[in-house]
Amino acid sequence: MPTPDFRAAVEARDLDAMTALLADDVVFRSPVAHKPYEGRPIVAAILANVIEVFEDFRYVRELHDDAGHALVFEAKVGDLSLTGCDFLEYDDRGLITDLMVMVRPLRAAEALAAAMGARFDGIVEMAAQLAGSDAH
């Protein structure tokens, strides 16, 4: 089952392992952005930054069915606690094709949006570098 690999990679803060589990055409559905982000480079860059923004991150529950998996987590953004869920869908190779994240409460989601927004230019730059390294 692929989920423990993703969970273990996130818990270890192992960006290379997380990225290796993403399909080339993975879609990331952010809890704070209106449009989805598509492609391994941008999703990897987002993951690299969010693991720095989240403090005291821990998965607390795992659910799964034939359609995919859900990993419930708790974390802090600054002094605000939040609960969230990673919803994962996989292809037949076990690679993540869709990663949707939801978080609550609203105040913590707003803090997450502000923290990630402040990093957005760096995220885009990192994605371009990752895309360039994938091409070689």
Side-chain angles (χ1 to χ4, degrees), residues 48-55 76-78 111-112 115-116 119:
N49 280 269
V50 80
I51 64 174
E52 292 178 359
V53 169
F54 281 153
E55 299 170 30
K76 285 185 154 190
V77 177
L112 176 61
M116 291 299 288
R119 293 169 169 253

Side-chain angles (χ1 to χ4, degrees), residues 21-35:
L21 294 168
L22 302 174
D24 289 340
D25 59 350
V26 63
V27 175
F28 177 77
R29 300 173 198 286
S30 167
V32 296
H34 294 287
K35 68 175 186 79

Side-chain angles (χ1 to χ4, degrees), residues 1-10 14-24 26 40 43 47 88-91 93-99:
M1 185 185 307
T3 298
D5 294 336
F6 183 75
R7 180 177 182 166
V10 171
D14 185 341
L15 184 61
D16 290 337
M18 284 184 255
T19 302
L21 294 168
L22 302 174
D24 289 340
V26 63
R40 183 184 309 165
V43 175
L47 291 173
L88 307 164
E89 293 181 20
Y90 298 91
D91 65 14
R93 299 170 297 159
L95 297 176
I96 299 167
T97 58
D98 194 275
L99 170 55

